[in-house]
């Protein structure tokens, strides 16, 4: 098992018990992380690396596999796109010094048309049109449409053609050698090789290896590509869709998985259906964009998923004649993400804001920007368990001391609604395994505390009552909602909501059994197509609690896992193309020729009666076009993608780019950072300089941050509790003995960490857990901080996230909060207005302007375009 981008023992201790059980049975655990952590302490080996260099390490593993021909060749040839030929116009970063073909420096975006397979055309949008929206999400959970995916894509099963994916992969990673890994990551070549050997030796026909990651991967400007790189390794080694393999995305709360399945995201609808965008005037327009004319797989049925969702939203009011009320859905017209919204608050474009289970004043990147944004609203609604900093910023934020916010003149009216905790309401959690588990209400919420379900149900009810009788067309979407949920007193029934999420056959009124029963003719309603089956047979399947010793090894009768209670996704890949297990030791599902069906220990993630030798007719599309040996049933070509011919904004292959703020030059390419990252070049969002920019020595050290077991994220739930506050009473910064000597830091004394955004105080913790690393011809020092403190609670401290600026992964709008550059000095930081002058002086010495860090194409330096924002009412350049 490889754990990378996660301190699982610390941040996910309940799930980590299974790692410890596996370790007790002989599983080797490798932890790759910049810091020696509680996970490292129980792992078989810990490999420290420089924060932000993960793709160089993973690319080295890919190169090791390919150059030594250690891939699981039968699996790779049959189940991935390794043999498919790529368009002859494609050019690699090896050809363009770090850029892929199709890059436009003016818009900092790619036209992906040259990445397509030979003799196919791509779906989705191109170039500048994609610059202001998250195109991968616009394509939905089926991924990008590849027209012609249902046909015969030109291929070379021998994997020798120079334009086949396998050879492109081999060439792309050929310079990611053990020596290069050492130069970039600071990992000695021999230590890297030990990991590569262990990973490959524990993979293949008879063995599988698991890969575990968390926000240590996602919170980077290359976060999506980090995950892609890990997935490529697992595919090459045959570790996807098989028992003991997989890529595990650890979730930080009990239902973070659920909050993306049924999302609180601006660009997704439930079940990873794309939110409509400007220009999609009709349902047909929308479906044409997310479904290819000639593609394979279950995503071709997205019309049934979408129409059923619209029927759940608007009930009898949604008919074929009015496009099932598709026009009632909002349209994406640009970047509507959380960070863009905060900047729009500062710029006076947003008047009101709802904060639900979030504490951005402490928990989000660039806390100062968050607080200044909230201070420029007309009204703010906060729902939380306690009075968090985001509810009290107007009177006790750090900006009160600096004079940037005045309690007497702050315009924002704050409404605080106490929220019920998880034991005070019933409902489901959806966790890392995609498992829905029902929880019963244990106690009544105290006082005025109420559940989210109560709050939104009654908010909707009151709004509808106020608008009753309105003839304004803009009120129709709200007035025509199907808002008739069952209630118990004044509390909406969470079971009734779950049943509607599951889906209902409107002709019979019965709950649907699975998503294959959904129809595009308006005869079914379903709140989330991937959850269809959680209320099968009119039974709350999530409430099942059959003990482990009374059922099979996959615990199929404990809770319910989407989709269709399958515990391992794409498990058709656990059998060979003929339907036989790759090995007896690793059997999971297989073809039973006598019964004419797929069977096994898990619910087969495949059509139950489609035989392995099934070959579709030439004109088949969608599900019918899937061959009997196409295990990746949501992909438009039925194969797992080593190379992504469309759908990613920053390239078809993971490529090592330096973080947005880095102390070193990219050793592999002239292109320094992700050329499509979102930078928001503004006076109030400064960046520290990074090569090839000058004055990086002003911020010479690498900063990274993470969680502690004793506190919970932004601290609102833990800084109020005496026993947890006592265990971790103060903010601290971990530094190596070498860095402590360089900066004159003493163990347990005060120090302050500085970036171009602010400075924060912390106690010094001198430890060997943060090792200096040799990168090229210099030693790079890293420091680490936990981020749980704010000004409220039994223990308080400066806000660590204030140190970070806002720069995002272009695919998913996640901030780069796991790596930055900084300085650290002994003693406490200046207070009040003196702090502003102190930071301004650092900016002057570093030559920082709103353009710093925004020249994304460094292959053209110094003539690159600066991607800054139009002037706003932010602070002036120093």
């Amino acid at each position: 098992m490889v754990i990378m981008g996660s301190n699982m023992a610390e941040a996910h201790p309940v799930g980590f018990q299974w790692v410890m059980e596996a370790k007790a049975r002989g599983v080797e655990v490798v932890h790759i992380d910049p810091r020696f952590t509680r996970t490292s302490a129980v792992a078989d080996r810990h490999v420290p690396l420089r924060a932000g260099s993960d793709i160089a390490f993973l690319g080295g593993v890919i190169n090791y596999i390919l150059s030594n021909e250690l891939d699981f060749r039968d699996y790779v040839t049959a189940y991935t796109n390794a043999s498919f030929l790529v368009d002859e116009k494609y050019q690699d970063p090896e050809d363009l010094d770090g850029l892929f073909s199709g890059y436009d420096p003016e818009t900092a975006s790619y036209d992906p048309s040259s990445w397509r397979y030979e003799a196919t055309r791509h779906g989705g949008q191109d170039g500048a049109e994609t610059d202001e929206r998250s195109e991968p999400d616009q394509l939905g959970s089926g991924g990008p449409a590849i027209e012609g995916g249902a046909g015969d894509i030109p291929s070379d099963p021998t994997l020798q053609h120079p334009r086949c994916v396998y050879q492109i992969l081999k060439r792309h990673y050929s310079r990611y050698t053990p020596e290069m890994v050492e130069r970039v990551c600071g990992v000695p070549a021999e230590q890297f090789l030990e990991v590569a050997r262990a990973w490959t030796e524990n993979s293949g026909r008879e063995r599988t290896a698991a890969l575990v990651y968390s926000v240590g991967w996602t919170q980077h400007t290359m976060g999506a590509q980090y995950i892609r790189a890990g997935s490529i390794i697992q595919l090459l080694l045959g570790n996807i869709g098989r028992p003991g393999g997989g890529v595990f995305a650890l979730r930080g709360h009990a239902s973070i998985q659920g909050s993306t399945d049924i999302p609180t995201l601006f660009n997704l609808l439930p079940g990873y259906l794309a939110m409509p965008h400007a220009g999609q005037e009709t349902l047909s327009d929308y479906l044409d964009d997310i479904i290819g004319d000639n593609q394979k797989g279950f995503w071709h049925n997205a019309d049934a998923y979408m129409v059923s969702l619209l029927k759940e939203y608007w009930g009898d009011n949604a008919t074929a004649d009015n496009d099932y009320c598709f026009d009632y859905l909002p349209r994406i017209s640009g970047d509507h993400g959380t960070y863009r919204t905060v900047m729009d608050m500062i710029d006076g474009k947003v008047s009101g804001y709802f904060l639900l289970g979030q504490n951005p004043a402490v928990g989000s990147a660039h806390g100062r920007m968050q607080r200044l944004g909230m201070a420029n609203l007309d009204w703010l609604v906060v729902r939380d368990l306690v009075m968090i900093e985001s509810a009290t910023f107007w009177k006790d934020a750090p900006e009160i001391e600096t004079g940037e916010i005045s309690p007497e003149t702050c315009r924002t009216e704050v409404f605080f609604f106490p929220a019920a905790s998880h034991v005070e309401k019933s409902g489901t959690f959806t966790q890392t395994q995609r498992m829905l588990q029902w929880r019963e209400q244990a106690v009544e919420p105290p006082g005025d505390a109420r559940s989210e379900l109560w709050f939104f149900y009654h908010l909707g009810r009151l709004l509808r009552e106020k608008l009753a009788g309105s003839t304004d067309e803009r009120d129709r979407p709200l007035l025509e909602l199907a808002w008739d949920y069952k209630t118990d007193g004044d509390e909406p029934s969470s079971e009734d909501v779950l049943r509607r999420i599951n889906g209902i056959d409107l002709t019979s009124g019965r709950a649907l059994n699975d998503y294959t029963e959904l129809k595009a003719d308006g005869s079914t309603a379903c709140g989330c197509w991937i959850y269809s089956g959680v209320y099968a047979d009119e039974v709350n399947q999530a409430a099942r609690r059959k003990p482990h010793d009374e059922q099979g090894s996959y615990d199929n009768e404990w809770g319910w896992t989407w989709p269709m209670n399958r515990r391992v996704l794409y498990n058709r890949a656990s059998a060979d193309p003929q339907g036989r297990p790759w090995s007896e030791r690793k059997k999971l599902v297989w073809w039973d020729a006598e019964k004419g069906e797929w069977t096994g220990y898990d619910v087969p993630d495949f059509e139950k009666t489609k035989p392995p030798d099934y070959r579709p007719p030439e004109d088949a599309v969608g599900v019918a076009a899937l061959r009997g040996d196409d295990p990746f049933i949501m992909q438009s070509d039925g194969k797992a993608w080593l190379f992504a011919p469309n759908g990613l904004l920053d390239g078809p292959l993971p490529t090592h780019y330096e973080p947005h703020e880095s102390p070193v030059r990219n050793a592999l390419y002239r292109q320094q950072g992700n050329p499509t990252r979102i930078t928001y070049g503004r006076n109030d969002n400064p960046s520290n300089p990074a090569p090839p920019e000058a004055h990086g020595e002003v911020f010479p050290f690498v900063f990274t941050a993470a969680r502690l077991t004793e506190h919970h994220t932004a601290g609102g739930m833990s800084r109020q509790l005496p026993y947890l506050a006592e265990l971790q009473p103060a903010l601290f910064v971990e530094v190596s003995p070498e860095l402590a000597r360089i900066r004159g830091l003493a163990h347990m004394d005060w120090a302050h960490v500085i970036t171009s955004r602010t400075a924060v105080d912390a106690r010094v913790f001198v430890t060997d857990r943060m090792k200096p690393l040799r990168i090229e011809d210099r030693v790079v020092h890293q420091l680490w901080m936990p981020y749980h403190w704010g000004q409220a609670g039994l223990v308080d401290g400066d806000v660590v996230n204030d140190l970070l600026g806002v720069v995002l992964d272009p695919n998913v709008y996640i901030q780069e909060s796991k790596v930055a550059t900084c300085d650290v000095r002994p003693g406490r930081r200046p207070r009040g207005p003196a702090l502003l002058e102190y930071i301004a002086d650092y900016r002057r010495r570093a030559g920082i302007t709103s353009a710093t860090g925004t020249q994304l194409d460094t292959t053209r330096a110094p003539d690159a375009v600066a991607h800054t924002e139009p002037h706003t009412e932010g602070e002036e350049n120093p």
Side-chain angles (χ1 to χ4, degrees):
M1 176 180 292
V2 175
I3 303 173
M4 190 174 184
S6 172
N7 180 4
M8 188 179 181
E10 183 108 40
H12 310 271
V14 176
F16 196 71
Q17 66 175 313
W18 306 112
V19 177
M20 295 305 294
E21 287 204 19
K23 192 170 183 292
R25 297 179 186 182
V27 171
E28 181 179 357
V29 178
V30 177
H31 188 220
I32 306 168
D33 195 272
R35 175 172 170 259
F36 187 89
T37 69
R38 284 169 166 161
T39 303
S40 315
V42 295
D44 293 283
R45 71 177 87 218
H46 170 242
V47 180
L49 84 168
R50 179 170 60 95
S53 65
D54 301 55
I55 287 180
F57 188 99
L58 297 166
V61 176
I62 295 170
N63 179 47
Y64 177 82
I65 293 167
L66 296 176
S67 60
N68 292 286
E69 297 192 348
L70 296 172
D71 55 284
F72 186 178
R73 185 61 56 88
D74 291 342
Y75 179 105
V76 168
T77 304
Y79 294 159
T80 77
N81 65 352
S83 66
F84 293 174
L85 305 189
V86 174
D87 193 285
E88 61 183 7
K89 298 185 184 71
Y90 168 75
Q91 289 181 284
D92 194 79
E94 291 297 298
D95 306 307
L96 301 175
D97 219 350
L99 297 173
F100 291 94
S101 50
Y103 186 73
D104 180 354
E106 296 294 325
T107 61
S109 65
Y110 279 109
D111 171 358
S113 58
S114 63
W115 310 345
R116 63 190 177 186
Y117 298 143
E118 183 178 288
T120 62
R121 59 187 178 89
H122 63 286
Q125 304 293 319
D126 296 343
E129 294 182 25
T130 70
D131 190 39
E132 276 293 293
R133 60 185 186 81
S134 186
E135 186 193 2
D137 292 339
Q138 290 297 332
L139 299 165
S141 61
I146 296 297
E147 299 297 353
D152 290 328
I153 296 171
S155 65
D156 174 17
T158 70
L159 308 185
Q160 298 305 307
H161 193 289
R163 284 193 286 109
C164 78
V165 164
Y166 187 88
Q167 292 298 329
I168 288 174
L169 203 68
K170 201 169 182 179
R171 179 170 179 256
H172 180 80
Y173 292 108
S174 62
R175 291 194 298 122
Y176 290 63
T177 61
E179 294 73 26
M180 181 61 75
V181 171
E182 182 166 354
R183 287 175 59 190
V184 174
C185 305
V187 178
E190 186 50 45
Q191 189 178 28
F192 163 78
L193 286 169
E194 288 173 1
V195 174
R197 282 192 288 265
W199 204 336
T200 54
E201 288 169 2
N202 285 281
S203 303
R205 188 178 292 271
E206 294 291 335
R207 304 180 70 84
T208 51
L211 174 61
V212 177
Y213 77 91
S214 189
V215 294
W217 268 10
T218 57
Q219 293 179 357
H220 289 271
T221 51
M222 292 291 296
Q225 296 284 13
Y226 277 36
I227 301 160
R228 280 269 300 134
S231 301
I232 289 171
I233 293 171
Q234 292 295 76
L235 286 169
L236 288 172
L237 297 177
N239 286 329
I240 299 293
R242 301 181 64 207
V247 179
F248 293 85
L250 300 180
R251 305 306 190 185
H253 300 261
S255 203
I256 288 294
Q257 180 67 54
S259 72
T260 53
D261 297 343
I262 300 179
T264 52
L265 302 170
F266 80 90
N267 48 8
L268 286 178
L269 292 168
Y272 304 93
L273 287 160
M275 181 69 78
H277 61 81
Q280 293 173 338
E281 295 185 5
T282 68
L283 179 60
S284 178
D285 293 338
Y286 169 83
L287 293 172
D288 285 347
D289 278 354
I290 69 169
I291 303 172
D293 296 331
N294 186 27
Q295 71 177 76
K296 294 183 179 183
F298 279 85
W299 190 245
H300 201 266
N301 296 341
D303 55 348
Y305 315 150
M306 186 63 175
V307 170
S308 297
L309 178 65
L310 296 172
K311 288 294 292 183
E312 170 53 31
Y313 283 170
W314 286 287
D316 293 340
N317 293 309
T319 67
D321 291 339
N322 65 10
D323 232 3
Y324 298 104
C325 295
F326 176 76
D327 195 45
Y328 288 176
L329 288 173
R331 303 297 196 267
I332 292 175
S333 58
D335 172 2
H336 306 289
T338 178
Y339 291 104
R340 174 82 272 168
T341 301
V342 168
M343 294 174 199
D344 286 346
M345 292 180 196
I346 291 174
D347 298 343
K349 300 177 183 177
V350 177
S351 300
Y353 202 52
F354 284 87
L355 273 183
L356 313 162
Q358 298 285 326
N359 189 10
V362 173
S364 292
H366 207 334
R368 175 175 172 270
M369 177 180 281
Q370 305 286 335
R371 296 185 294 270
L372 292 176
M374 290 188 289
N376 201 35
L377 295 168
D378 291 339
W379 55 265
L380 172 68
V381 173
V382 180
R383 291 194 77 253
D384 216 297
L385 305 177
V386 295
M387 195 69 72
I388 57 175
E389 287 85 352
S390 295
T392 63
F393 69 91
W394 58 274
K395 64 177 182 177
D396 59 10
E399 289 71 33
I400 304 294
E401 187 177 301
T402 61
E404 296 168 280
I405 296 176
S406 166
E408 291 76 23
T409 59
C410 180
R411 58 182 288 189
T412 308
E413 186 174 10
V414 180
F415 300 89
F416 182 81
F417 289 80
S421 76
H422 64 284
V423 298
E424 296 162 354
K425 58 194 175 187
S426 61
T428 60
F429 286 138
T430 310
Q431 38 80 305
T432 292
Q433 193 189 342
R434 298 168 285 104
M435 181 188 290
L436 283 79
Q437 297 180 87
W438 185 263
R439 65 178 191 282
E440 301 290 350
Q441 181 179 352
V443 294
E444 289 295 322
D448 291 331
R450 295 291 186 272
S451 69
E452 288 78 17
L453 193 53
W454 182 95
F455 180 83
F456 282 109
Y457 173 76
H458 289 290
L459 178 62
R461 177 183 61 81
L462 291 169
L463 289 171
R464 284 157 53 85
E465 287 175 4
K466 285 183 177 294
L467 293 173
S470 170
T471 58
D472 193 328
E473 278 300 308
R474 71 177 184 175
D475 296 332
R476 305 320 303 166
L478 188 60
L479 288 171
E480 294 186 1
L481 281 172
W483 210 247
D484 54 348
Y485 300 102
K486 293 179 181 178
T487 58
D488 181 8
D490 71 343
E491 178 73 19
S493 166
S494 49
E495 278 218 58
D496 185 45
V497 173
L498 183 65
R499 183 175 181 270
R500 296 189 187 206
I501 289 171
N502 170 90
I504 299 167
D505 183 335
L506 298 175
T507 63
S508 65
R510 69 170 180 84
L512 298 172
N513 289 320
D514 59 63
Y515 70 84
T516 63
E517 296 182 0
L518 295 171
K519 303 287 177 56
D521 61 5
S523 63
T524 57
C526 177
C528 181
W529 71 274
I530 59 175
Y531 280 19
S532 189
V534 71
Y535 222 90
D537 301 319
E538 296 291 351
V539 173
N540 184 346
Q541 304 291 332
R544 296 180 301 171
R545 291 292 183 272
K546 192 170 185 178
H548 175 73
D549 57 5
E550 295 180 16
Q551 58 174 316
S553 57
Y554 281 79
D555 297 325
N556 286 8
E557 295 180 68
W558 182 283
W560 184 88
T561 302
W562 69 261
M564 294 174 66
N565 206 31
R566 293 159 176 161
R567 305 296 160 124
V568 178
L569 280 176
Y570 299 122
N571 58 32
R572 165 65 180 90
S574 69
D576 69 14
Q578 291 73 43
R580 305 164 303 198
W582 290 108
S583 74
E584 276 299 306
R585 187 171 180 271
K586 287 292 179 179
K587 68 190 301 186
L588 181 58
V589 302
W590 56 90
W591 175 252
D592 187 327
E594 290 186 9
K595 294 183 179 179
E597 64 181 30
W598 289 92
T599 188
Y601 306 129
D602 193 10
V603 177
D605 194 4
F606 204 68
E607 292 171 272
K608 191 173 181 65
T609 59
K610 178 174 280 188
D613 60 358
Y614 169 81
R615 296 296 179 267
E618 282 190 17
D619 58 349
V621 295
V623 178
L626 287 168
R627 293 163 43 121
D629 57 0
D630 278 337
F632 292 89
I633 63 173
M634 292 303 298
Q635 293 290 92
S636 52
D637 53 13
K639 306 299 182 186
W641 285 3
L642 300 169
F643 176 98
N646 194 20
L648 287 166
L649 293 179
D650 47 3
L653 289 171
T655 303
H656 170 68
Y657 297 122
E658 285 296 318
H660 178 67
E661 295 181 357
S662 170
V664 299
R665 197 74 168 90
N666 191 337
L668 278 153
Y669 312 104
R670 190 176 180 190
Q671 178 58 38
Q672 173 75 0
N674 183 343
T676 64
R677 67 191 186 275
I678 301 171
T679 54
Y680 301 117
R682 300 164 51 106
N683 292 326
D684 54 9
N685 185 42
S687 294
N688 299 347
E693 294 169 321
H695 309 303
E697 71 281 355
V698 176
F699 301 101
F701 309 124
V702 174
F703 165 87
T704 187
R707 289 168 53 180
L708 296 166
T709 300
E710 293 83 359
H711 283 296
H712 186 256
T713 60
M717 293 173 66
S718 55
R719 280 185 275 117
Q720 316 288 335
L721 302 176
Y723 43 91
L724 292 178
E726 183 180 15
L727 287 170
Q728 291 288 359
L731 174 61
F732 59 95
V733 55
E734 290 193 3
V735 298
S736 68
E738 293 85 350
L739 179 53
R741 283 193 293 272
I742 291 170
R743 279 293 187 256
L745 309 176
H747 186 62
M748 297 307 294
D749 276 358
W750 286 102
H752 59 279
V753 179
I754 313 107
T755 69
S756 57
R757 277 74 60 178
T758 195
V760 303
D761 281 342
R763 292 288 186 175
V764 176
F765 195 91
V766 181
T767 173
D768 287 329
R769 292 195 292 237
M770 294 300 294
K771 291 187 178 299
L773 300 172
R774 178 159 291 281
I775 307 298
E776 298 277 19
D777 58 351
R778 63 179 290 185
V779 174
V780 171
H781 294 276
Q782 305 185 102
L783 57 84
W784 177 89
M785 301 181 80
Y787 63 87
H788 307 290
W789 281 266
Q791 63 266 22
L794 298 176
V795 292
D796 60 11
D798 282 351
V799 177
V800 168
N801 281 320
D802 287 8
L803 292 168
L804 297 165
V806 176
V807 57
L808 310 180
D809 178 302
N811 296 290
V812 291
Y813 292 93
I814 288 180
Q815 76 285 347
E816 185 159 75
S817 50
K818 290 301 178 184
V819 61
T821 56
C822 68
D823 193 12
V824 60
R825 296 286 174 173
R828 306 198 71 167
R829 63 172 174 82
R831 314 292 299 191
L835 173 62
L836 300 181
E837 179 53 38
Y838 185 64
I839 299 305
D841 180 62
Y842 261 88
R843 292 190 203 172
R844 280 191 289 267
R845 287 193 284 123
I848 293 172
T849 71
S850 60
T852 302
T854 68
Q855 293 181 312
L856 303 187
D857 178 5
T858 55
T859 66
R860 296 167 180 259
D863 301 320
V865 177
H867 294 273
T868 56
E869 302 236 324
H871 176 72
T872 60
E873 294 302 315
E875 61 196 63
E876 294 301 317
N877 288 331

